[in-house]
């Protein structure tokens, strides 16, 4: 069944509400941190492990997700929501907008890709949970609205530094609603460096797959990181000699910083849609490019297509302007192919994507 797109007026109203909701959810995160800091005896944030010791959830994750879901249902009483639990017969009902939250989804064993053409709220109440438990500032609230498989609204609020990244189709992408993204706007957005990935900031994450398997995902990532960092001409021509490598511990914030232009490249495998939905919305609205992390068989001629959000394999390039010899898009695509030459194929799959 065809789904009508939302009007610009509808998008504007939902965007305003989502921005306010993101700030309120972020305040809950900071209030919990202040409670920990102010106690006379130091206490660590209690958490539970999900799949392994670096895949964790706190009570705060679940509390903030419940707060966001309740706020959405209260604001839009005519909307119905489905929380995706494996025991829920969501395939037998026709409710929309739908609500997909990380912690409610993660309680079961299903990893099906559940987003379809209907309006879907995709929320990570606390991205960067490990950072949060250590009071490392790189954590955030992530809220996205997806329509017809594309994120149309994205809100990422980093409360410790009071940075709000946001976007709405037709309104652009913004930092704190006052600075248009990417931040470098005048006289023009720079193209990607002529010898990219050299002179680029490369963003990457170790991920949650820590199995010490020869030629497993972790080993392939490490080899790819070394290729990107090594001096030009080394490693059989794969040395990229990037300016620097950054790992924030939050895929959502990685994407926000690519949209801002602070990071040039983000390469990752293993993320779920709630990790990237809001970041996708903001980066695409800012003029960035997102494609697959895995190099195709023919790097030189393979088409560079927009990646499906549920693929778990992502390569993002910052917004880029034209040079004397290339359009901005051409410089982005050239960079994609040069990254593909230097990275390994990752094995991350999931049903339905």
């Amino acid at each position: 069944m065809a789904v009508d797109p939302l009007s610009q007026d509808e998008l504007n109203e939902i965007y305003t509400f989502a921005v306010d909701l993101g700030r309120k959810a972020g305040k809950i995160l900071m209030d919990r941190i202040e409670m920990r800091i102010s106690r006379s005896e130091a206490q660590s944030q209690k958490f539970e492990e999900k799949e392994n010791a670096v895949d964790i959830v706190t009570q705060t994750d679940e509390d903030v997700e419940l707060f966001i879901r309740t706020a959405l249902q209260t604001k839009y009483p005519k909307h119905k929501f489905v929380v995706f639990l494996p025991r829920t017969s969501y395939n037998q009902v026709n409710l929309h907008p739908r609500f997909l939250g990380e912690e409610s989804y993660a309680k079961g064993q299903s990893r099906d890709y559940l987003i379809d053409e209907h309006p879907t709220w995709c929320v990570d109440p606390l991205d960067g949970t490990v950072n949060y438990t250590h009071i490392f500032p790189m954590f955030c609230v992530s809220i996205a609205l997806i329509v017809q498989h594309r994120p149309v609204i994205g809100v990422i609020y980093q409360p410790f530094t009071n940075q709000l990244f946001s976007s709405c189709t037709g309104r652009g992408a913004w930092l704190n609603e006052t600075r248009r993204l990417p931040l470098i706007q005048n006289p023009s957005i720079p193209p990607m460096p002529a010898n990219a990935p050299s002179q680029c900031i490369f963003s990457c994450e170790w991920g949650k797959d820590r199995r010490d398997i020869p030629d497993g995902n972790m080993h392939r990532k490490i080899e790819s990181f070394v290729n990107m960092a090594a001096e030009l001409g080394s490693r059989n021509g794969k040395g990229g000699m990037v300016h620097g490598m950054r790992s924030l511990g939050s895929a959502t914030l990685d994407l926000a910083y690519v949209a801002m232009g602070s990071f040039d490249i983000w390469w990752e495998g293993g993320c779920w849609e709630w990790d990237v939905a809001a970041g996708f919305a903001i980066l695409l609205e800012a003029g960035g490019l997102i494609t697959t992390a895995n190099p195709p068989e023919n790097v030189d001629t393979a088409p560079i297509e927009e990646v499906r959000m549920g693929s778990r394999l992502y390569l993002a390039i910052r917004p880029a302007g034209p040079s004397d010899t290339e359009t901005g898009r051409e410089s982005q695509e050239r960079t994609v192919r040069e990254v593909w030459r230097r990275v390994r194929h990752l094995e991350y799959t999931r049903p339905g994507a």
Side-chain angles (χ1 to χ4, degrees):
M1 183 179 67
V3 176
D4 293 332
L6 297 175
S7 70
Q8 191 63 52
D9 286 344
E10 289 175 310
L11 286 172
N12 291 341
E13 190 274 333
I14 294 172
Y15 168 77
T16 299
F17 180 75
V19 166
D20 181 65
L21 184 59
R23 288 192 180 277
K24 289 177 178 176
K27 184 178 184 301
I28 296 175
L29 296 181
M30 288 306 300
D31 286 347
R32 298 287 176 89
I33 282 187
E34 292 295 338
M35 288 172 62
R36 289 169 56 196
I37 293 173
S38 63
R39 287 175 179 168
S40 57
E41 296 182 3
Q43 296 187 21
S44 61
Q45 170 73 44
K46 294 181 179 180
F47 59 85
E48 296 178 6
E49 295 181 7
K50 291 190 279 187
E51 294 187 2
N52 60 31
V54 295
D55 187 13
I56 64 177
V57 59
T58 69
Q59 184 62 46
T60 301
D61 291 77
E62 298 186 352
D63 290 347
V64 176
E65 181 178 310
L66 177 61
F67 167 77
I68 292 171
R69 175 156 47 93
T70 301
L72 289 170
Q73 291 172 322
T74 301
K75 174 66 176 178
Y76 303 109
K78 294 182 180 180
H79 293 168
K80 296 182 183 294
F81 299 83
V82 173
V83 178
F84 286 125
L85 296 170
R87 293 178 297 277
T88 302
S89 300
Y90 55 82
N91 288 325
Q92 301 175 18
V93 294
N94 183 23
L95 307 177
H96 58 83
R98 302 182 179 190
F99 182 94
L100 174 57
E102 176 182 8
E103 303 315 329
S104 53
Y105 184 46
K107 282 185 178 299
Q109 298 303 312
S110 172
R111 289 295 183 268
D112 289 345
Y113 184 65
L114 299 172
I115 294 173
D116 59 19
E117 69 276 8
H118 292 88
T120 304
W121 289 100
C122 191
V123 172
D124 193 338
L126 172 51
D127 190 57
T129 304
V130 171
N131 291 342
Y132 184 75
T133 62
H134 291 270
I135 316 184
F136 181 68
M138 294 300 168
F139 59 84
C140 64
V141 176
S142 176
I143 301 172
L145 179 65
I146 304 163
V147 181
Q148 295 176 335
H149 297 284
R150 287 184 61 87
V152 295
I153 289 173
V155 174
I156 299 170
Y157 182 49
Q158 185 181 13
F160 207 101
T161 58
N162 194 29
Q163 286 185 311
L164 178 82
F165 302 90
S166 62
S167 71
C168 177
T169 298
R171 292 178 57 141
W174 300 87
L175 172 62
N176 293 333
E177 298 187 273
T178 58
R179 296 183 182 274
R180 194 176 186 96
L181 300 180
L183 290 184
I184 300 175
Q185 292 283 343
N186 295 311
S188 63
I189 302 169
M192 297 301 294
N195 58 346
S198 182
Q199 299 182 349
C200 291
I201 294 290
F202 178 73
S203 175
C204 53
E205 298 292 340
W206 289 87
K208 296 171 183 175
D209 185 354
R210 302 296 179 84
R211 294 171 297 171
D212 193 9
I213 302 172
D215 205 39
N217 280 327
M218 186 171 71
H219 287 247
R220 294 183 186 190
K221 278 190 171 185
I222 291 169
E223 181 180 343
S224 301
F225 298 165
V226 175
N227 287 345
M228 296 297 291
E231 63 181 331
L232 289 173
S234 65
R235 301 183 66 80
N236 295 318
K238 291 187 177 181
M241 201 169 183
V242 295
H243 262 179
M245 303 181 71
R246 304 290 183 265
S247 181
L248 299 182
S250 164
T252 308
L253 287 173
D254 286 332
L255 283 164
Y257 278 61
V258 175
M260 191 161 61
S262 300
F263 294 165
D264 300 285
I265 302 164
W266 178 66
W267 179 75
E268 177 62 298
C271 296
W272 302 97
E273 44 272 26
W274 48 79
D275 296 313
V276 299
F280 271 30
I282 293 166
L283 179 57
L284 292 173
E285 192 69 16
L289 181 155
I290 305 173
T291 189
T292 182
N294 279 349
E297 185 173 337
N298 192 323
V299 169
D300 292 320
T301 60
I304 296 176
E305 299 175 343
E306 185 173 313
V307 71
R308 182 166 178 170
M309 190 161 35
S311 73
R312 306 192 70 204
L313 295 160
Y314 312 112
L315 171 58
I317 308 296
R318 68 159 169 82
S323 68
D324 292 338
T325 59
E326 292 177 307
T327 65
R329 175 73 182 198
E330 287 171 340
S331 76
Q332 290 173 321
E333 292 193 357
R334 169 174 50 79
T335 303
V336 166
R337 297 188 194 280
E338 292 302 323
V339 173
W340 278 344
R341 296 183 205 282
R342 292 165 169 83
V343 297
R344 293 289 308 277
H345 190 281
L346 301 175
E347 297 290 344
Y348 291 98
T349 59
R350 52 95 55 80

